Amino acid sequence: ILNVEQSPQSLHVQEGDSTNFTCSFPSSNFYALHWYRWETAKSPEALFVMTLNGDEKKKGRISATLNTKEGYSYLYIKGSQPEDSATYLCACPGAGNNRKLIWGLGTSLAVNP
Amino acid sequence: DGGITQSPKYLFRKEGQNVTLSCEQNLNHDAMYWYRQDPGQGLRLIYYSQIVNDFQKGDIAEGYSVSREKKESFPLTVTSAQKNPTAFYLCAIIINPTIISNQPQHFGDGTRLSIL
C-alpha cells in the first residue's frame, strides 16, 4: 500500500523567514508527485505536478524539488508572508489503471506578521 | 474554483436520513471525484467517475451512493448506512482523464456535513 508522509505536521515562522517541508513516498512504481495549497475557508489549489527525477518547479516565492530515487520532494517558500499561511498537501498516484491519488496529511504553516 | 460549485456549504443530517450533496461543473471536464476529509486524516476517495453513466468506488464507498447522468453533475448521497457521516466533503475534477496521474485536481469549496 502506497504511503505518503509529510513532515513536519505543523510549522510556525515569522514573516520574512524562508522555510521548507518534506513529502516522502515509496520510490518504486513512481508516477507523479502533486503539491497543493489549502487555505482556510477555501478549496485546495494545485501548485505543482512533478514527474521527473531532479525536476524543479517554481511559482512566485514557492518552489519544489523532486528526488524519485530516494522518494522525497521538498517544498520551499522564500520570504514567507502571512498570506502563505495554509496547509500544504502532497499526493502521489497509487497503483492500478486509474492511479487514484494517495494523500499525505499535510503540513500546516502559520506565518506570523 | 469558479467552475466547480458545491452545495450546500453546510448540511445537517438527522439519524436515519439520506442527504444529497451537489457538485456541478461548467468546465466540460469528464472526470469527477468525491473526497472526504476528517481531522487528522488525509483526503480519502469515496467515488469517482471518468465518464457519463459510469462511476467507480473509491476507498471508502460504503454508505454512499452517486450518479452521473449528466456530464456537469456528480451528486453524492450519504445514506443512513453511513454511520459516521460527519466530515468535510470535497468534489474535484481533472481535465484529462486519460492521463490521471499527471493531471492536477481542481476542487470545489466543499460541504460540511454534521449530524443533528
Side-chain angles (χ1 to χ4, degrees):
Chain A
I1 296 177
L2 178 64
N3 202 28
V4 176
E5 297 182 349
Q6 293 188 246
S7 63
Q9 186 176 346
S10 64
L11 199 52
H12 291 255
V13 301
Q14 290 297 124
E15 182 175 355
D17 288 350
S18 293
T19 187
N20 66 87
F21 23 93
T22 307
C23 177
S24 302
F25 51 87
S27 54
S28 59
N29 296 317
F30 174 82
Y31 295 101
L33 187 286
H34 295 228
W35 278 106
Y36 293 80
R37 173 171 60 200
W38 194 356
E39 296 177 64
T40 303
K42 294 186 178 180
S43 54
E45 171 198 0
L47 289 173
F48 309 112
V49 178
M50 308 174 79
T51 57
L52 298 175
N53 184 45
D55 222 0
E56 185 168 343
K57 295 204 171 183
K58 191 174 181 180
K59 187 176 183 177
R61 293 178 292 98
I62 303 177
S63 60
T65 60
L66 180 66
N67 184 325
T68 60
K69 296 187 186 305
E70 296 183 40
Y72 65 85
S73 174
Y74 292 140
L75 190 79
Y76 299 91
I77 303 179
K78 185 177 178 182
S80 302
Q81 299 297 309
E83 57 264 29
D84 296 327
S85 298
T87 295
Y88 292 83
L89 299 170
C90 70
C92 288
N97 291 332
N98 295 308
R99 309 272 189 262
K100 296 174 290 184
L101 288 181
I102 309 298
W103 296 83
L105 298 183
T107 292
S108 175
L109 173 67
V111 182
N112 300 317
Chain B
D1 191 306
I4 306 169
T5 303
Q6 286 189 245
S7 62
K9 193 168 183 177
Y10 300 96
L11 188 58
F12 298 91
R13 194 191 91 167
K14 295 180 183 178
E15 293 287 343
Q17 186 183 38
N18 292 354
V19 291
T20 297
L21 285 59
S22 170
C23 180
E24 304 277 328
Q25 54 109 351
N26 60 5
L27 300 171
N28 201 35
H29 294 328
D30 286 306
M32 299 183 75
Y33 300 77
W34 273 107
Y35 289 97
R36 168 179 172 143
Q37 202 235 359
D38 295 277
Q41 298 204 41
L43 292 175
R44 292 185 291 166
L45 183 64
I46 306 172
Y47 267 99
Y48 62 102
S49 169
Q50 293 181 262
I51 198 166
V52 174
N53 292 323
D54 184 58
F55 49 83
Q56 306 293 329
K57 291 183 179 180
D59 301 315
I60 54 164
E62 187 174 346
Y64 299 97
S65 66
V66 292
S67 63
R68 188 82 188 275
E69 296 175 3
K70 298 183 294 183
K71 190 174 188 177
E72 58 269 25
S73 179
F74 189 39
L76 174 75
T77 297
V78 184
T79 74
S80 57
Q82 173 48 247
K83 297 305 178 188
N84 185 23
T86 298
F88 188 65
Y89 292 86
L90 279 167
C91 177
I93 62 171
I94 62 170
I95 297 171
N96 186 344
T98 60
I99 318 175
I100 291 173
S101 60
N102 295 357
Q103 296 294 307
Q105 296 196 0
H106 302 275
F107 290 85
D109 288 336
T111 293
R112 187 165 297 281
L113 176 62
S114 303
I115 291 272
L116 280 179

